[in-house]
Amino acid sequence: MDSSNGRLQQPTKRLTETDAWQALGERHAVLAATSLNQLFADDPRRFERMSLSAGGLVLDYSKNRLDGTTLSLLTALAAERGVDTARDAMFAGRPINNTERRAVLHTALRQSAGVRHDANGVDVMPDVLAVRARMLDFAEAVRDGRWTGHAGDAITDVVNIGIGGSDLGPCMACEALAGRRRGRLTIHFVSNVDGEQLAAVLDRVEARRTLFVVASKTFTTLETMTNAASARAWFLAHGGQAADIAKHFVAVSSNAARVREFGIDEANMFGFWDWVGGRYSMWSSVGLPIALAIGAEGFRALLDGAARMDRHFVEAPLAANMPVILASIGLWYRAFFGTASVCVVPYAQALARLPAYLQQLEMESNGKSVSCDGRQVGVATCPVVWGEPGTNAQHSFFQLLHQGSDPIPVDFIMPLEVGHGLPGHQRLLLANCIAQSKALMVGKSEAEVRAELSTAGLAGEALELLVPHRVFAGNRPSNTLVLPDLSPASLGALIALYEHKVFVQGVLWGVNSFDQWGVELGKQLAGRIAAELDGGAVGPHDASTRGLLDLARSGLARASSRGAS
Ligand code: F6P
């Protein structure tokens, strides 16, 4: 730790210069020539050795192309890269987000009374607890009808207007916990500046019974501000008066001045702090839609689930630490097997938005090639994260997972108990999840295919035609994360697990996981181009941009002559 400014000192050795990295390279040569089937045959206790419980979740990482020696080397790498020091610095509120000189303390948002959490030497907990209490009281008042619209009607619809971290977390969690939702509230999410999304929601709601939550950390984001302004105009055009806005618009933000400027009273604002990154903010007042959906008790259970995983991350040794293991396995494939993407397949329709949520969490955090000290990282960093729920995904892209040219590691997410009560479904869902990870691993050999086809009565040319197409190479790795259920506590633990995995990978690669400068250039250019589409002077552009601008202008002109925009 650099004691002069509290920031984290970067390791002097580059990642590829560490002893563990060199040894991992040698280990890879051995493991690349060893099949998963062989690893299981060699060790009947592989599942016991390579599975782990934490925060109520079980991680089975036995179906990965590694062995005990590899795991020890990965642990040594984590130690050499200072993962434990960095973790302690994060929890201690040091300004580890070095380019923005900010602490990173989303973990404090999961804590309850009686603990201290400092950001730059100041205890943040009194503020955290006060805002949480106010936010949860408000949510309960809306839920039980004490908070009404301007005409005295109970609120029936909540429209969350936000994007990125101010949308994906609450949207994912509300969908994931829909089975727990009680009461009359329908929660809608509007994020895209494409007016179709807002228009479709406005078509379905009544102004006098609708509450708009405008969620934006900065309160300057183009999409959110545009949607919020349109929602306000719609509200005023549908029976609301300016004085009624206070009953129908609340803000979630860390920028009080901008909230006031927009016309929302600070009394209707739920704050959070610069030490909460947008993609780490669902535990703050950004989680208001979640509290509105599942109530204060459910929201507290979500926080408690995450806090359990935090404790595990802080207390477990690196070798038995779930986030460290997940992160290390990810790095192992990315660095030594050259895998460029990771697929996340939740076997729960309610987790349909989880891949999108993880895309922001992982790719906005670690999609970087410059390390904290300004040097090039020098190795491949964050893979592309993608996925869809099973079993639907089995009928779309699983062909590629099984027989495509590039092996892609998969994270299977498997909640055990669900609440829908329809007999038979869950058994089939679980069977499919388990079957897919097994099929990816064991594959099907040519000999097996031949035997199967001849049993089915095929021979000669007909058999030969099919054989190569029906062989599965197997040896394709996966993790399976087992959740006892889809409760707020399990979801909290799952999301905290991925947050910490991302943190550990950031430390291993040496990048700052908490800034996102890569989104700025496009934003700046969009602002300029919007002005040009508005009739402003057109700047010097390349031929493609000029051509597209011309097409866009003529499209807008046609729409405007039809009165369509
Ligand atoms: O453009 C990226 C980003 O800054 C994300 O990091 C953030 O979650 C999102 O935009 C929304 O930002 P805000 O909450 O300030 O509107």
Side-chain angles (χ1 to χ4, degrees), residues 133-184:
R134 204 162 71 79
M135 189 268 272
L136 293 181
D137 283 351
F138 174 74
E140 286 301 326
V142 175
R143 280 167 62 80
D144 65 24
R146 275 176 293 133
W147 178 281
T148 62
H150 67 277
D153 304 286
I155 298 294
T156 55
D157 292 86
V158 175
V159 182
N160 189 78
I161 298 179
I163 197 165
S166 300
D167 166 74
L168 287 163
C171 181
M172 174 275 296
C174 283
E175 203 167 310
L177 302 172
R180 309 265 159 165
R181 204 184 284 176
R182 302 280 172 270
R184 91 193 92 74

Side-chain angles (χ1 to χ4, degrees), residues 80-264:
E80 228 178 322
R81 295 298 282 168
V83 166
D84 37 10
T85 315
R87 174 198 61 202
D88 296 347
M90 175 170 76
F91 279 81
R94 310 270 186 212
I96 61 166
N97 174 354
N98 68 325
T99 61
E100 297 178 307
R101 297 172 189 272
R102 288 176 183 164
V104 174
L105 263 184
H106 48 277
T107 49
L109 299 167
R110 284 93 90 139
Q111 293 299 326
S112 15
V115 289
R116 196 188 155 95
H117 258 290
D118 286 2
N120 303 323
V122 178
D123 184 10
V124 299
M125 286 313 291
D127 275 357
V128 167
L129 295 173
V131 174
R132 186 192 301 161
R134 204 162 71 79
M135 189 268 272
L136 293 181
D137 283 351
F138 174 74
E140 286 301 326
V142 175
R143 280 167 62 80
D144 65 24
R146 275 176 293 133
W147 178 281
T148 62
H150 67 277
D153 304 286
I155 298 294
T156 55
D157 292 86
V158 175
V159 182
N160 189 78
I161 298 179
I163 197 165
S166 300
D167 166 74
L168 287 163
C171 181
M172 174 275 296
C174 283
E175 203 167 310
L177 302 172
R180 309 265 159 165
R181 204 184 284 176
R182 302 280 172 270
R184 91 193 92 74
L185 290 179
T186 305
I187 321 271
H188 311 264
F189 288 86
V190 173
S191 51
N192 203 323
V193 76
D194 179 350
E196 290 292 349
Q197 197 185 16
L198 177 61
V201 170
L202 295 180
D203 266 355
R204 297 205 296 274
V205 299
E206 264 188 279
R208 53 193 284 168
R209 298 178 213 279
T210 299
L211 176 73
F212 292 94
V213 177
V214 184
S216 173
K217 181 176 172 185
T218 54
F219 232 72
T220 57
T221 304
L222 168 102
E223 292 88 340
T224 303
M225 292 303 104
T226 307
N227 280 324
S230 296
R232 185 178 50 191
W234 173 88
F235 175 75
L236 295 175
H238 286 76
Q241 304 297 314
D244 303 331
I245 285 186
K247 298 296 278 175
H248 293 269
F249 282 78
V250 297
V252 170
S253 184
S254 62
N255 190 342
R258 289 286 191 150
V259 169
R260 272 196 307 274
E261 227 172 87
F262 180 84
I264 296 179

Side-chain angles (χ1 to χ4, degrees), residues 459-509:
E461 207 183 313
L463 182 141
E464 293 307 326
L465 173 76
L466 283 179
V467 169
H469 301 282
R470 300 196 58 156
V471 169
F472 289 70
N475 214 18
R476 305 211 158 189
S478 64
N479 293 306
T480 300
L481 266 164
V482 184
L483 280 59
D485 50 26
L486 253 187
S487 63
S490 300
L491 183 71
L494 178 73
I495 300 304
L497 168 64
Y498 274 101
E499 284 180 348
H500 296 321
K501 170 207 154 178
V502 166
F503 171 76
V504 173
Q505 288 191 330
V507 176
L508 292 172
W509 284 316

Side-chain angles (χ1 to χ4, degrees), residues 223-404:
E223 292 88 340
T224 303
M225 292 303 104
T226 307
N227 280 324
S230 296
R232 185 178 50 191
W234 173 88
F235 175 75
L236 295 175
H238 286 76
Q241 304 297 314
D244 303 331
I245 285 186
K247 298 296 278 175
H248 293 269
F249 282 78
V250 297
V252 170
S253 184
S254 62
N255 190 342
R258 289 286 191 150
V259 169
R260 272 196 307 274
E261 227 172 87
F262 180 84
I264 296 179
D265 195 299
E266 247 180 274
N268 292 339
M269 169 179 156
F270 301 95
F272 61 111
W273 305 273
D274 69 357
W275 42 262
V276 185
R279 53 194 174 274
Y280 298 87
S281 66
M282 61 179 260
W283 324 100
S284 71
S285 41
V286 169
L288 174 58
I290 310 173
L292 285 161
I294 61 169
E297 202 188 321
F299 191 77
R300 285 203 192 89
L302 179 81
L303 300 184
D304 288 347
R308 270 185 84 184
M309 187 55 74
D310 294 341
R311 274 196 299 283
H312 165 78
F313 181 45
V314 169
E315 289 166 8
L318 294 179
N321 195 305
M322 202 183 271
V324 176
I325 290 172
L326 260 192
S328 303
I329 292 172
L331 174 125
W332 168 240
Y333 289 124
R334 185 75 181 110
F336 296 98
F337 288 79
T339 55
S341 86
V342 168
C343 186
V344 181
V345 186
Y347 273 71
Q349 191 57 37
L351 290 174
R353 293 298 285 162
L354 182 69
Y357 173 82
L358 293 178
Q359 283 177 331
Q360 188 198 15
L361 181 66
E362 302 221 9
M363 297 201 275
E364 200 173 70
S365 296
N366 288 338
K368 292 157 191 173
S369 38
V370 170
S371 48
C372 291
D373 59 13
R375 293 187 291 178
Q376 291 292 320
V377 178
V379 297
T381 59
C382 189
V384 171
V385 179
W386 60 290
E388 272 290 317
T391 58
N392 290 8
Q394 293 173 201
H395 301 272
S396 56
F397 57 73
F398 265 54
Q399 164 64 41
L400 179 146
L401 294 184
H402 285 289
Q403 290 186 317

